[in-house]
Amino acid sequence: MSIPPITQFLPKVSVPTKATVALYRKVLAVFYIEERMKAFTRHGKCSFWASCRGHEVTQLGVVSFLRPGHDWFFPYYRSKGTVVGVGLSFRDIFLGMLSREGDPSSGGRNMPEHFSSRRLNLVSRTACVGSQFLPAVGVAKAVKAEGTDAVVYVESGDGAASEGEFFEALNWASREKLPMLFVIQNNGYAISVPQRIQTASSIRKIAEGFGIHAVEIDGTSYECVYETAPDLIRSVRQGNGPVLIEAKVVRLDSHSSSDDQRKYRSEEELRHVAELDPLQQMERWMMENKTISSTEIEQIRREIKEEVDSAANWADAQPGPDVHDLCAGIYAEIKPERTAVPCPRYVSEKSVTFIDAINHGLSEEMQRNPKIVTWGEDIADPKGGVFGVTRGLRDMFGERVSNSPLAEASIVGVAGGMALAGYKPIVEIQFADYLWPAAMQLRNEIPTVRWRSDGAWTCPVVVRIAVGGYIKGGPWHSTCVESFFSHIPGWRIVFPSCAEDAKGLIKAAARSQDPVIFLEHKSLYRLVQAKSLEPDADYVVPFGRGRILCEGTDATIVTWGITVYHALEVARQLQQQGKSVEVLDLRSIIPFDEEMIYESVRKTNRIVIAHEDSLTMGFGAELAARIAANCIDALDAPVLRVTAKDSFVPSAPALEALVLPSVGGLRAAIEQTLLY
């Protein structure tokens, strides 16, 4: 038998009749919802369906002791019992499952089974297995900071407990004694893979290894849930830290509408799990204990079925979602206004470094907004980060500045959760080369929140990332990543090249309603040419506004980051030969200043794009395509690109110089375009 054994549970407390009947009505509702969804799926009206039958008593029983709208809920794709328990209406459930107009969970954007309600604190989720754990930790961190007694409930199946983000969440929750209730529903299978192959130990023991109080219960028995859950929830509310329930349940239906469990489960096993059906167990228990009569059961069944069918029929009659606003909600504003960039008022007589400008900008914004928090590897004092960007901030702002575990997924995912709860995390990834463990959170979780919830949820986190070469850092400390993030809708991406812009853009990021990737080139941190006078606390550089650094008439160079200084040097050299080169600093990658580029091309009729990222699929390719589409009649020469080679960055200085763009290479490109 592949399902985990369910220990016979002998209740020590008497469950009140009223509570039993109330829960029974909800269990019946889940049953009839799933029955209607079977029919809708057979008729092609639902693209994805994952029955929660066998899990419903655990879900409904546990959340019955929680407070929707006060506590927080992170469901997964098999959570209809949970959403019924927290109070999502049957109509709203069917609207979401059928992707119909008025779907309050996502407006038809998200998949079926992905429910959301801001009113109930039911957080919109993705389909990514286990990716809800770290945002749940972030919300719990916010709850603890607010000093309330709210509990953050996060659930999954046993398969998700194999994901690394689950272990990271246990570690962070235990380390900070966060108010979290992990409910892992172990039905013995991750699709077709038995749990014994997934996990070497029991999930309860894994949690205990992280210092978390954990229990294992019969999740098909409401008496067991009733006896166990209240004390555990009370402990969490009292500030005693997280707890984990491993509920042994059964999966009565196939994994999902795309699966047929008869291919990998024997008839004997399926007959056995049917005998453990929580609904049938509940009815037998009520009859044996004379809680309710068979006549009353039939009456309740008719009432609930009629209620569910009415909601299902109503939802089925609704039209499909509006197709005109599909891209609405990806950003707070689809296209920022082209307002004038204010002239800075300087507060320093001497120039400050790029690194100090970021530090001062962070300090001013943390004074301005008490909801700003920051963490990362080694960022707290006395070190203040491996480059010293955050030095002094811990001394100024205390626990709002903290060191994190060496776990990039945690750094970013927890920040995303805290942003969901109304905070403004500004976190640091030490080197761009090491951000990839966080890719799930950076690609699927954070930038999709506003869109997938149809604007109900926002996640305005800022991720600071040290990027770039020219530091002899070799292949693991030299990556530029703007093109990677430019492919992900939802992120604002900025890449300043001087101290003045670094301060103005970090302040814009700190005030943004959207998530922001803030790229800091390591070679600029203390570069003399990147120094400038320091703008005051009110100086903010709007996203999408570039800067003309050098006026010219013969050719244009558009660039960003460290290659700005290559371009300025080329312009200086060619000026001595009577050639006039215009240099544009993009500053902001998403959105970028298209009009500035087009106006310059129409003036000079020639353009070279320079950046440090690789040639193939670098962001320069997008600029070249846009220029060709919008300025073809103004071009007197091909659009050229000067970039890094399609290679990893070598460690040896001579080899590094061959891979990365150079002043000489950029000058050769300008001279080539001037020949036309």
Side-chain angles (χ1 to χ4, degrees):
M1 194 72 64
S2 295
I3 64 168
I6 297 177
T7 304
Q8 180 67 37
F9 176 75
L10 299 175
K12 299 176 184 177
V13 297
S14 176
V15 183
T17 298
K18 184 177 180 181
T20 303
V21 174
L23 187 94
Y24 172 62
R25 296 180 71 92
K26 292 178 179 178
V27 170
L28 269 180
V30 171
F31 170 77
Y32 286 119
I33 289 170
E34 299 293 20
E35 289 299 297
R36 285 306 301 264
M37 287 315 308
K38 284 181 183 178
F40 282 137
T41 302
R42 284 196 301 267
H43 293 125
K45 294 183 177 183
C46 179
S47 60
F48 175 78
W49 167 61
S51 170
C52 76
R53 292 279 287 115
H55 294 228
E56 62 267 53
V57 160
T58 290
Q59 295 176 359
L60 287 162
V62 174
V63 301
S64 69
F65 299 106
L66 296 169
R67 290 143 55 189
H70 177 72
D71 297 322
W72 291 74
F73 302 89
F74 283 81
Y76 75 126
Y77 55 80
R78 199 183 305 283
S79 291
K80 283 197 277 302
T82 299
V83 301
V84 167
V86 301
L88 200 65
S89 74
F90 298 162
R91 283 189 171 191
D92 287 346
I93 289 171
F94 282 114
L95 285 174
M97 291 299 298
L98 299 175
S99 299
R100 299 300 172 86
E101 179 66 30
D103 162 30
S105 292
S106 74
R109 290 161 166 77
N110 212 344
M111 290 177 63
E113 304 285 1
H114 295 63
F115 302 104
S116 170
S117 170
R118 192 66 192 256
R119 175 180 61 86
L120 299 170
N121 282 348
L122 180 69
V123 180
S124 172
R125 64 150 295 123
T126 69
C128 308
V129 175
S131 64
Q132 71 272 30
F133 289 118
L134 290 174
V137 170
V139 170
K141 190 173 173 67
V143 165
K144 184 174 182 179
E146 291 294 299
T148 75
D149 70 346
V151 172
V152 178
Y153 170 98
V154 59
E155 66 181 342
S156 80
D158 51 286
S162 297
E163 290 282 357
E165 292 191 6
F166 171 66
F167 298 97
E168 292 187 27
L170 293 177
N171 182 51
W172 196 307
S174 178
R175 189 175 57 91
E176 295 197 10
K177 293 186 67 175
L178 296 177
M180 297 188 68
L181 174 59
F182 294 85
V183 179
I184 308 302
Q185 296 148 44
N186 187 349
N187 64 29
Y189 282 95
I191 306 184
S192 67
V193 179
Q195 194 253 327
R196 67 177 184 273
I197 296 175
Q198 290 279 341
T199 312
S201 174
S202 76
I203 297 166
R204 172 183 62 82
K205 290 180 180 178
I206 290 170
E208 289 174 342
F210 284 94
I212 290 176
H213 178 51
V215 298
E216 187 177 300
I217 67 169
D218 175 1
T220 68
S221 163
Y222 177 51
E223 305 86 75
C224 183
V225 174
Y226 185 89
E227 181 172 320
T228 307
D231 287 343
L232 295 176
I233 292 169
R234 191 176 303 113
S235 174
V236 176
R237 289 202 196 282
Q238 291 171 349
N240 296 320
V243 299
L244 180 141
I245 297 173
E246 180 181 359
K248 296 297 183 70
V249 297
V250 291
R251 197 186 76 198
L252 298 178
D253 294 312
S254 293
H255 167 75
S256 70
S257 50
S258 59
D259 176 49
D260 182 357
Q261 64 182 350
R262 293 172 299 180
K263 294 179 179 178
Y264 51 88
R265 302 181 80 174
S266 68
E267 290 185 9
E268 178 190 3
E269 181 181 338
L270 292 175
R271 282 196 301 270
H272 175 67
V273 297
E275 293 170 358
L276 298 173
D277 182 345
L279 174 58
Q280 294 183 19
Q281 287 192 65
M282 199 169 198
E283 289 183 338
R284 285 197 300 267
W285 185 90
M286 289 191 299
M287 294 284 289
E288 291 169 1
N289 287 273
K290 296 182 171 51
T291 302
I292 196 170
S293 68
S294 59
T295 302
E296 289 171 312
I297 285 177
E298 289 304 315
Q299 177 62 29
I300 293 173
R301 277 182 170 269
R302 284 193 296 270
E303 290 176 7
I304 299 300
K305 185 177 188 304
E306 182 179 344
E307 188 178 352
V308 169
D309 284 343
S310 175
N313 294 337
W314 175 86
D316 190 28
Q318 303 310 302
D322 187 349
V323 300
H324 299 295
D325 296 322
L326 183 60
C327 292
I330 293 177
Y331 296 100
E333 316 91 11
I334 292 178
K335 185 176 181 180
E337 296 181 9
R338 190 174 168 79
T339 55
V341 179
C343 293
R345 293 192 298 271
Y346 296 109
V347 294
S348 65
E349 295 182 358
K350 293 183 178 180
S351 295
V352 297
T353 63
F354 188 97
I355 202 168
D356 286 339
I358 297 173
N359 179 283
H360 298 170
L362 288 170
S363 175
E364 290 169 1
E365 290 303 301
M366 292 185 76
Q367 292 176 56
R368 178 178 178 272
N369 181 1
K371 293 285 190 177
I372 293 178
V373 291
T374 183
W375 61 77
E377 298 165 24
D378 302 297
I379 76 159
D381 293 314
K383 190 169 184 62
V386 295
F387 299 103
V389 179
T390 54
R391 189 169 295 143
L393 296 183
R394 170 77 179 203
D395 291 340
M396 293 176 65
F397 299 103
E399 292 184 358
R400 290 170 62 193
V401 180
S402 59
N403 287 328
S404 71
L406 201 163
E408 287 77 11
S410 291
I411 292 170
V412 174
V414 173
M418 207 167 184
L420 285 170
Y423 278 74
K424 182 73 181 187
I426 302 177
V427 297
E428 177 179 301
I429 296 293
Q430 204 167 78
F431 290 95
D433 312 72
Y434 303 138
L435 66 81
W436 309 112
M440 183 71 80
Q441 299 294 326
L442 291 166
R443 167 58 177 81
N444 291 326
E445 288 290 334
I446 291 172
T448 66
V449 166
R450 183 188 293 274
W451 179 84
R452 74 176 187 253
S453 67
D454 201 14
W457 295 95
T458 59
C459 192
V461 66
V462 180
V463 182
R464 296 178 38 248
I465 307 175
V467 300
Y470 303 99
I471 63 166
K472 305 177 181 64
W476 322 125
H477 300 83
S478 305
T479 301
C480 272
V481 291
E482 66 268 25
S483 62
F484 171 80
F485 286 104
S486 70
H487 295 161
I488 306 174
W491 284 109
R492 304 290 191 187
I493 308 168
V494 295
F495 201 156
S497 66
C498 68
E500 179 180 304
D501 289 344
K503 184 172 184 182
L505 285 167
I506 195 64
K507 296 172 82 67
R511 301 179 190 188
S512 173
Q513 299 177 54
D514 295 311
V516 179
I517 296 292
F518 191 91
L519 301 176
E520 305 168 10
H521 201 291
K522 299 182 291 292
S523 289
L524 295 175
Y525 277 147
R526 293 177 177 84
L527 186 71
V528 173
Q529 296 96 313
K531 287 184 174 182
S532 71
L533 297 178
E534 183 176 354
D536 67 9
D538 295 323
Y539 183 64
V540 177
V541 176
F543 297 145
R545 294 305 308 275
R547 188 176 191 179
I548 301 174
L549 298 179
C550 177
E551 297 273 0
T553 57
D554 294 328
T556 298
I557 302 174
V558 60
T559 184
W560 53 91
I562 191 69
T563 46
V564 162
Y565 298 97
H566 297 172
L568 289 173
E569 175 59 20
V570 168
R572 185 193 66 80
Q573 292 177 8
L574 292 179
Q575 185 180 31
Q576 296 175 353
Q577 299 179 7
K579 300 297 182 181
S580 175
V581 177
E582 184 151 287
V583 177
L584 311 180
D585 181 357
L586 213 52
R587 298 198 289 196
S588 178
I589 306 297
I590 301 292
F592 68 93
D593 197 337
E594 293 188 63
E595 289 306 312
M596 178 187 71
I597 297 171
Y598 301 157
E599 289 171 7
S600 183
V601 170
R602 292 180 184 120
K603 178 172 63 172
T604 68
N605 309 115
R606 296 170 176 83
I607 187 164
V608 174
I609 302 165
H611 60 74
E612 188 181 337
D613 205 349
S614 300
L615 174 70
T616 302
M617 300 302 291
F619 192 67
E622 178 63 27
L623 296 184
R626 300 278 186 105
I627 292 165
N630 291 277
C631 301
I632 190 68
D633 57 336
L635 288 169
D636 290 341
V639 178
L640 301 181
R641 288 176 290 156
V642 176
T643 72
K645 291 181 172 60
D646 290 336
S647 167
F648 305 103
V649 179
S651 181
L655 298 179
E656 180 190 58
L658 291 175
V659 168
L660 297 179
S662 65
V663 171
L666 182 54
R667 175 168 177 165
I670 288 291
E671 290 174 339
Q672 180 183 346
T673 195
L674 289 173
L675 293 175
Y676 284 89

